Amino acid sequence: MINAVLVFNNSGQPRLTKFYTQLDTSVQQRLIAEIFTLVSNRPASSCNFLPLPPLLQPPASAASSPTQPHNDTPSLVTYRHYATLYFILISTSTESPLALLDLIQVFVEALDRLFENVCELDLIFNFETLHACLGEMIVGGVVVETSLERVVKGVREQGKVAKRREGPGGTPGLSEVVGVGLGVNVLWLYAPYLHMTATIPFRFKTGGSMAPMPEAHHHRASSKTTHKPFKSRHATKSLLKELAKGKLDNSSKEKGGRKTPHQQVMSKFDRRNQAKQIRKIKHAQNVKSTSVFTGVNGAPRVVAIVPLCEDLNASKAVERLNEVGDAEAVWLLQGGQTRVRMERFKQNVVYVPVQRRLLEIMDACRVADFVVLLVSPDQEPGDEGELMLKAIEGQGVSNVLAMVQGLDRVEPIKRRGQIVASLKSYITHFFPSQEKVLSLDSENECANAVRSLCTTTPKGVKWREDRSWMLVEDLQWPEPRPEEQLDRGEVIVTGVVRGRRLKANRLVQVGDWGHFQIEKIKNAALPASRKRKADEMAVDQPAQSEEVLETPNTEQEDLDELAPYEAPMEDIEGMPVYEAPTERRGVLLDDHHYYSDDKTHLPEQPKRLPKGTSNYQAAWFLGDMSDTGSEYEDITDGEGDITMESPALPQDGVEGLDQATLRDPTEMASEYPQSEMFLDPSPIDEARQIEEYRASRKDDAEEDLEFPDEIELHPKVLARERLAKYRGLKSLKTSPWETREDKAHEPEDWDRLLQVPYYKRARRQAENESLVGGVAPGTRVNVHLRSIPLSLRRAYNAPKPLALYSLLPHEQKRTVVNVSITLSSEHSKALKSKDELILQCGPRRFIIAPLFSQLGNTRNDVHKFLRYLHPGQTAVASFIAPLTWGPVPALFFQYSPSSSQTTPLKLIATGTTLPPSTNRIIAKRIILTGHPYKIHKKLVTVRYMFFNVEDVAWFKALQLWTKRGRSGFIKESLGTHGYFKATFDGRINPQDAVGVSLYKRVFPRPAKRWSEVDGNDKARTDGLMIEE
């Protein structure tokens, strides 16, 4: 007899407890704990049977009693361990242990069929099915079924059996009796049915007693009601939806129900057909991506061998891979490349071994389908190796494979595993998808590497696959024809077309040479013989067919980088009338010059002042100072002209801001009493005070960097002349920017730059043009290029890998290129705008002097200019260069000749290209600050911002602000040394500083491209020069 069935996990948490012998709850818990301790501590080599713990063993007196047979006492524990679960049976000594092991196996297989790869979570969330399966096999401690098919069928039919009508005589059917959820005691009430039914076979001869067990006390089923779950008062539908966090309640739906109406009516056959179609689509996509490599003359897989340490040899690594891969045909190409035929995998492979030079490595990895990183067990890659890995990762890479060379030299042998683990940790820091570092010295691991190179589908690089490209296998320089220029000639480039279709109308970029036009494209297929010897596979062998595949037509793109110059013709009558600079009387604020259309040319009304007031003293009084005229006189000069400054104009609007707080004019004397009238200090004292104030301000700026755009004016310099290009803005993000004011300051050929008003649509059209026509990928061709400077022949470096990229439409035209840039946090100092950088963007490299501006989108497309880019900061770098479609990775290098590395370039920043725009305004901001000299409530006297009356009047329309958030406007000029009164929206702090913001538009600078020179010119950067 089986007394109990237990299932618990490796942590001792019970997942099924079924006792066929009545025991107290405390005894059951203690029994489970003791059995788990015994079973979990047993070694794997021990048998699956063990005696029962003393907790349930009968005492000696009971064992000898004639009324308690010994064979009915539980005494044996049988168990099996599956993954994370223990299945345990507690039985009497009359049960066969081997039969119980088979019973556990049938039980587990039945669960696996019901749940389809059963796991522990299935037992937790579907315990009804678990008990139903056990009830089909064991009833009252007696085994009633061991057939796997019948057990599974019985469990699946229980949902239908529960709905059957009662049997004859009102007695329920037997299937209802053994249904899910019935207790053990209820089953024993129908024990006669079990003996009388012939459909329940007994596979085991247990011989146990069929007497019912003593009944345990339980409540009636009617008292076990399920109450409605509590719902809080504020649990709205939206709140419940948010708490669910996207989970759907499927309790009210039928198990396995479909989500959509279409799926609800789909039959099983339809669902299988739909899954089959999805598999076919994915298979077709995989075949299409790998079809370019199929066939004897299929495109070779390009593999770049990159050594990261000085003691590594890429050529020996290629020889090792060919030796293990049983390469049948091996022949050399230009630049040290090796093309082999792997007959075992029916694939062609081109190995591109490179030297330990940064630009050479980057050029090889740009065209590679696979990049093999060679690491050394003895040396560390160091800073230069880390620079190479960052550059490879930043420019985009397809598939990466890491291999260690020279591991068999490490002694003792047990250190090799530690070295491989350390190298794997280093590589996964840059390429987390790498799962293993293979050894070139191990034949098995080297064979696995060759298999991966020949069978894995390359992921590709997005920006590269959107264009047509090819690795140059051969380069020919025919003699110049008589009709060609003396310094230019034709070049024939041989290679296999990859990516998109190659079109003769498109321009091509060859390495760092520049972009050129295609004269014609010829077929360069290899001989069709299947068995070719190595000497017959020379790349310079003439092809069997010199068929011309494509020639350009009238739609071929030209080499012009700028639009043709056209004289602007504008309708004079329709042009708005703008004031001449000499007629303007104030700074430009947003799109209007204030104070330019006033009536200041008319004589002013004389101001009533106390008798005896001089012209200098009259400048310190605002308006009339008394109601009576007994003590005042009109101040005029001998010619009758007004000598005082004009009062504030009505368009100012400052007086109405704080009328409630301003004093009555008759009380102005108490604010600035006549007995304490301020007099301008002497020039020596004023110069000393200005120096002391600015010295303290400099210390504060360096301390907290609150005014990074602050400038200082010399007392003898007119601000309106020095800052003539600047204007004011009420809001940097929303105020309109008047572009006509910038026409005079635009750089040359600004109007001839490419305009891209709808970037997404234009980019989509440019990419779709390469889908139709042209030479199909996988074709080996000879591309004839016209008008190549002959100076490049002398500068050509054969060992360096060379690639040809087809440019998309308009990619040769110049525009304002915007690139997001993130300065590395490891960079030692901030990067200044207009500093010279080397940019690699896709297949091209430029030397740029970018302008940095803030990220983000604004309503007026105005962005603040950044003087410095600090480490870890992200901004937008703008410059004038040829257009590049799509988001393309960008790398920023800085030339550092003092570096200890062999490469004089240092990677300092990375980024991505953004949509180009000539309408994006970069506004340089400056801040003029002043010191609050006297404060009376909201009225403040400010000094040291301006140094003459004319500057105060010119910038009067601009809004003032303080670093603590107050705002105000200039009210009136005081004296002749640039002092003025200002009204603010609240009382300001005496330690506060008053500022005003001015903006001017700055234009990006044109970029210069790289071109190759003689490698012996050591004065150049890494064998490259700048083309002006």
Side-chain angles (χ1 to χ4, degrees):
M1 177 182 176
I2 297 177
N3 301 97
V5 178
L6 307 177
V7 178
F8 47 78
N9 60 10
N10 294 338
S11 302
Q13 298 176 344
R15 300 306 181 199
L16 172 66
T17 57
K18 189 71 172 181
F19 286 90
Y20 299 98
T21 303
Q22 185 177 3
L23 295 174
D24 294 337
T25 304
S26 58
V27 178
Q28 293 180 7
Q29 295 177 354
R30 291 172 54 193
L31 179 64
I32 292 173
E34 291 186 12
I35 291 178
F36 170 71
T37 303
L38 293 174
V39 172
S40 61
N41 292 332
R42 286 176 65 85
S45 59
S46 301
C47 66
N48 296 80
F49 323 117
L50 69 157
L52 191 68
L55 185 64
L56 290 182
Q57 290 184 357
S61 59
S64 60
S65 176
T67 60
Q68 182 71 20
H70 179 73
N71 54 6
D72 286 343
T73 304
S75 60
L76 182 64
V77 175
T78 307
Y79 75 95
R80 294 195 71 169
H81 187 201
Y82 296 89
T84 62
L85 294 176
Y86 287 91
F87 290 77
I88 299 174
L89 296 180
I90 301 177
S91 63
T92 60
S93 59
T94 58
E95 297 290 342
S96 171
L98 297 178
L100 294 180
L101 289 177
D102 291 340
L103 182 65
I104 295 175
Q105 180 67 23
V106 172
F107 182 45
V108 174
E109 290 183 5
L111 294 177
D112 190 71
R113 287 195 181 183
L114 292 171
F115 293 107
E116 298 180 358
N117 298 327
V118 65
C119 64
E120 184 178 356
L121 293 178
D122 294 328
L123 307 184
I124 296 174
F125 295 105
N126 301 279
F127 58 89
E128 301 93 348
T129 307
L130 178 64
H131 283 273
C133 184
L134 182 62
E136 286 288 328
M137 299 178 63
I138 303 175
V139 177
V142 179
V143 179
V144 296
E145 185 59 73
T146 59
S147 175
L148 179 61
E149 288 75 12
R150 293 181 181 180
V151 171
V152 174
K153 181 179 179 182
V155 175
R156 290 177 175 173
E157 291 180 352
Q158 282 188 14
K160 300 179 181 179
V161 172
K163 299 180 181 179
R164 293 180 182 175
R165 298 181 180 179
E166 295 180 351
T171 305
L174 178 63
S175 299
E176 291 182 346
V177 176
V178 296
V180 180
L182 298 180
V184 177
N185 299 317
V186 180
L187 288 173
W188 279 110
L189 296 177
Y190 294 91
Y193 289 93
L194 298 176
H195 294 284
M196 295 169 58
T197 305
T199 59
I200 305 179
F202 286 81
R203 298 293 181 181
F204 291 88
K205 191 70 175 178
T206 57
S209 175
M210 297 295 293
M213 295 295 175
E215 257 186 42
H217 174 72
H218 65 277
H219 294 283
R220 293 180 302 171
S222 60
S223 63
K224 298 179 180 179
T225 58
T226 303
H227 297 282
K228 183 178 180 181
F230 174 74
K231 180 180 179 180
S232 63
R233 178 182 177 186
H234 302 288
T236 60
K237 292 182 179 180
S238 60
L239 179 59
L240 294 176
K241 184 177 180 181
E242 182 181 356
L243 294 177
K245 297 186 182 301
K247 299 179 182 178
L248 300 178
D249 185 13
N250 297 326
S251 58
S252 61
K253 299 181 181 180
E254 184 180 357
K255 186 177 180 180
R258 301 295 169 181
K259 303 299 181 183
T260 63
H262 174 66
Q263 291 176 336
Q264 291 178 3
V265 299
M266 286 178 62
S267 64
K268 185 176 182 180
F269 175 77
D270 294 334
R271 295 195 298 271
R272 287 183 176 179
N273 187 33
Q274 186 184 42
K276 183 179 179 181
Q277 292 177 354
I278 295 175
R279 288 196 302 269
K280 285 185 177 180
I281 293 174
K282 292 184 177 180
H283 178 69
Q285 293 176 351
N286 187 27
V287 170
K288 182 180 179 181
S289 61
T290 57
S291 61
V292 70
F293 304 116
T294 57
V296 179
N297 291 331
R301 296 169 177 258
V302 183
V303 181
I305 311 296
V306 180
L308 298 180
C309 304
E310 296 180 356
D311 61 340
L312 300 176
N313 192 325
S315 300
K316 291 184 178 180
V318 174
E319 295 176 0
R320 176 62 175 170
L321 293 174
N322 291 336
E323 177 185 354
V324 176
D326 297 332
E328 295 188 0
V330 180
W331 66 97
L332 299 178
L333 308 177
Q334 70 92 27
Q337 305 168 16
T338 305
R339 176 167 178 166
V340 299
R341 173 67 180 176
M342 298 291 182
E343 195 62 35
R344 182 196 304 178
F345 303 102
K346 309 297 182 183
Q347 295 290 320
N348 299 321
V349 180
V350 170
Y351 292 106
V352 185
V354 295
Q355 301 296 325
R356 201 164 177 261
R357 291 192 289 266
L358 177 62
L359 297 183
E360 184 177 344
I361 290 175
M362 295 175 64
D363 290 340
C365 293
R366 278 191 299 188
V367 296
D369 298 311
F370 298 88
V371 176
V372 178
L373 301 176
L374 294 181
V375 291
S376 172
D378 303 324
Q379 294 184 3
E380 295 183 356
D383 296 338
E384 191 167 359
E386 184 176 351
L387 172 62
M388 297 175 184
L389 291 175
K390 290 182 178 179
I392 295 173
E393 179 189 15
Q395 72 176 358
V397 65
S398 182
N399 297 58
V400 178
L401 197 65
M403 304 191 73
V404 56
Q405 188 179 37
L407 187 62
D408 57 348
R409 300 194 306 265
V410 178
E411 295 294 341
I413 299 178
K414 63 180 182 180
R415 288 188 61 245
R416 299 177 184 178
Q418 301 175 358
I419 293 176
V420 172
S422 176
L423 293 175
K424 177 179 178 297
S425 176
Y426 179 79
I427 294 296
T428 53
H429 176 72
F430 301 95
F431 303 99
S433 60
Q434 292 302 302
E435 300 178 354
K436 192 175 182 181
V437 176
L438 303 177
S439 174
L440 274 172
D441 303 319
S442 173
E443 186 171 353
N444 292 334
E445 294 186 3
C446 194
N448 292 335
V450 175
R451 181 180 297 105
S452 298
L453 297 177
C454 295
T455 59
T456 305
T457 302
K459 296 185 300 182
V461 183
K462 180 64 172 62
W463 68 265
R464 187 183 68 184
E465 302 304 325
D466 290 340
R467 297 162 175 80
S468 179
W469 59 276
M470 69 183 203
L471 175 66
V472 177
E473 298 180 358
D474 186 30
L475 199 65
Q476 302 177 24
W477 302 81
E479 293 299 328
R481 290 175 293 190
E483 63 272 12
E484 293 181 338
Q485 301 178 10
L486 297 179
D487 59 341
R488 292 181 177 271
E490 182 186 10
V491 172
I492 302 176
V493 179
T494 304
V496 180
V497 179
R498 298 289 304 278
R500 298 288 181 92
R501 304 177 73 91
L502 179 60
K503 304 180 69 173
N505 287 338
R506 301 277 80 85
L507 301 179
V508 292
Q509 174 81 19
V510 182
D512 294 319
W513 296 0
H515 51 268
F516 308 99
Q517 290 179 322
I518 297 177
E519 184 174 353
K520 56 185 174 181
I521 302 177
K522 287 187 176 183
N523 186 16
L526 293 173
S529 177
R530 290 185 175 272
K531 296 183 179 180
R532 298 186 295 263
K533 298 180 181 179
D535 54 355
E536 296 177 355
M537 298 296 295
V539 178
D540 56 356
Q541 176 184 358
Q544 293 181 352
S545 176
E546 291 293 338
E547 176 189 2
V548 177
L549 300 179
E550 187 168 347
T551 56
N553 52 29
T554 56
E555 297 181 357
Q556 185 180 22
E557 289 194 89
D558 52 24
L559 299 175
D560 295 335
E561 297 184 352
L562 297 173
Y565 178 78
E566 294 182 3
M569 301 296 294
E570 299 181 0
D571 187 7
I572 299 179
E573 295 181 357
M575 291 180 60
V577 179
Y578 283 85
E579 302 168 290
T582 56
E583 298 176 357
R584 297 171 183 168
R585 301 178 58 84
V587 67
L588 176 65
L589 180 59
D590 289 352
D591 56 350
H592 185 69
H593 285 274
Y594 292 90
Y595 309 119
S596 297
D597 53 354
D598 58 4
K599 300 180 181 179
T600 54
H601 59 282
L602 300 177
E604 298 180 1
Q605 297 295 330
K607 184 183 297 185
R608 299 183 62 82
L609 298 171
K611 294 181 180 180
T613 304
S614 63
N615 294 340
Y616 175 80
Q617 294 173 342
W620 294 89
F621 291 94
L622 298 178
D624 296 336
M625 300 304 297
S626 177
D627 317 39
T628 62
S630 58
E631 299 179 355
Y632 292 83
E633 62 180 1
D634 296 342
I635 305 298
T636 60
D637 58 2
E639 301 177 355
D641 296 330
I642 305 299
T643 58
M644 298 188 308
E645 293 292 329
S646 61
L649 302 177
Q651 290 84 352
D652 194 354
V654 178
E655 292 81 1
L657 293 177
D658 300 306
Q659 290 292 336
T661 58
L662 294 179
R663 296 196 178 194
D664 188 81
T666 57
E667 303 179 14
M668 282 296 180
S670 61
E671 182 178 352
Y672 296 103
Q674 188 172 0
S675 58
E676 299 178 1
M677 180 178 297
F678 174 77
L679 298 177
D680 285 336
S682 63
I684 298 178
D685 295 340
E686 186 174 17
R688 178 179 53 80
Q689 295 175 5
I690 292 174
E691 291 297 329
E692 293 176 356
Y693 169 72
R694 287 183 173 177
S696 62
R697 293 291 302 133
K698 283 183 179 180
D699 296 339
D700 296 339
E702 294 174 358
E703 191 172 320
D704 51 18
L705 296 177
E706 291 192 55
F707 295 100
D709 301 320
E710 180 181 351
I711 67 169
E712 297 176 351
L713 295 176
H714 193 273
K716 297 183 180 180
V717 175
L718 296 179
R720 63 184 181 277
E721 294 181 359
R722 178 183 174 185
L723 308 177
K725 298 180 182 179
Y726 288 84
R727 68 184 71 185
L729 290 178
K730 295 180 181 178
S731 173
L732 180 62
K733 297 182 179 180
T734 59
S735 295
W737 187 279
E738 179 56 50
T739 57
R740 285 183 177 269
E741 295 285 335
D742 304 322
K743 287 291 184 181
H745 311 295
E746 289 180 353
E748 187 180 3
D749 299 331
W750 179 262
D751 293 332
R752 300 175 61 189
L753 298 178
L754 178 65
Q755 307 286 336
V756 188
Y758 302 101
Y759 176 76
K760 290 185 178 179
R761 184 174 66 183
R763 172 193 166 194
R764 187 162 50 250
Q765 293 176 353
E767 292 178 350
N768 292 339
E769 285 187 10
S770 59
L771 300 177
V772 182
V775 181
T779 307
R780 193 169 185 269
V781 296
N782 287 330
V783 181
H784 294 250
L785 305 178
R786 64 170 66 144
S787 300
I788 305 296
L790 297 181
S791 59
L792 296 176
R793 183 173 185 177
R794 298 186 298 269
Y796 174 58
N797 186 7
K800 182 179 178 182
L802 189 65
L804 180 145
Y805 298 89
S806 177
L807 300 181
L808 295 178
H810 311 295
E811 282 197 327
Q812 83 281 7
K813 299 178 181 178
R814 287 181 171 263
T815 184
V816 178
V817 179
N818 299 315
V819 182
S820 67
I821 177 174
T822 302
L823 187 61
S824 174
S825 57
E826 300 176 358
H827 196 55
S828 58
K829 58 182 180 180
L831 185 63
K832 188 178 181 181
S833 282
K834 304 178 185 179
D835 278 356
E836 190 173 89
L837 300 177
I838 298 131
L839 168 70
Q840 175 175 304
C841 182
R844 296 180 286 195
R845 295 189 181 100
F846 303 98
I847 292 187
I848 61 175
L851 299 181
F852 300 139
S853 57
Q854 290 180 342
L855 276 171
N857 297 325
T858 58
R859 291 170 51 186
N860 55 359
D861 206 9
V862 177
H863 306 268
K864 180 182 174 296
F865 169 77
L866 300 178
R867 287 181 173 83
Y868 291 93
L869 184 65
H870 297 278
Q873 186 180 3
T874 301
V876 176
S878 301
F879 50 91
I880 299 175
L883 170 68
T884 300
W885 293 110
V888 179
L891 301 180
F892 296 86
F893 297 90
Q894 199 171 41
Y895 181 56
S896 56
S898 60
S899 176
S900 59
Q901 305 175 3
T902 57
T903 302
L905 298 180
K906 180 181 180 182
L907 179 63
I908 62 172
T910 58
T912 307
T913 58
L914 301 175
S917 175
T918 56
N919 298 324
R920 189 177 189 273
I921 298 174
I922 303 176
K924 181 180 180 180
R925 182 174 67 184
I926 64 170
I927 297 175
L928 301 178
T929 57
H931 176 249
Y933 182 60
K934 289 187 178 181
I935 302 175
H936 180 73
K937 295 185 178 180
K938 299 179 182 180
L939 194 63
V940 182
T941 300
V942 182
R943 63 175 180 177
Y944 300 156
M945 182 179 291
F946 306 107
F947 298 97
N948 54 74
V949 179
E950 292 79 5
D951 289 345
V952 176
W954 181 266
F955 296 100
K956 189 175 182 180
L958 300 181
Q959 185 179 14
L960 304 176
W961 51 267
T962 68
K963 66 178 182 180
R964 289 180 171 84
R966 294 296 184 184
S967 63
F969 294 91
I970 297 176
K971 185 177 181 64
E972 182 68 24
S973 177
L974 296 179
T976 59
H977 291 190
Y979 289 67
F980 61 87
K981 286 189 177 182
T983 303
F984 289 86
D985 57 356
R987 187 180 182 90
I988 70 173
N989 193 295
Q991 302 298 326
D992 210 341
V994 180
V996 62
S997 300
L998 294 169
Y999 302 88
K1000 79 167 181 178
R1001 183 176 184 179
V1002 289
F1003 294 90
R1005 296 186 175 185
K1008 306 171 185 179
R1009 68 175 181 84
W1010 291 72
S1011 64
E1012 292 184 282
V1013 297
D1014 187 6
N1016 296 327
D1017 188 1
K1018 301 299 182 181
R1020 302 296 184 180
T1021 303
D1022 200 17
L1024 298 174
M1025 72 175 181
I1026 305 171
E1027 180 180 82
E1028 298 295 341

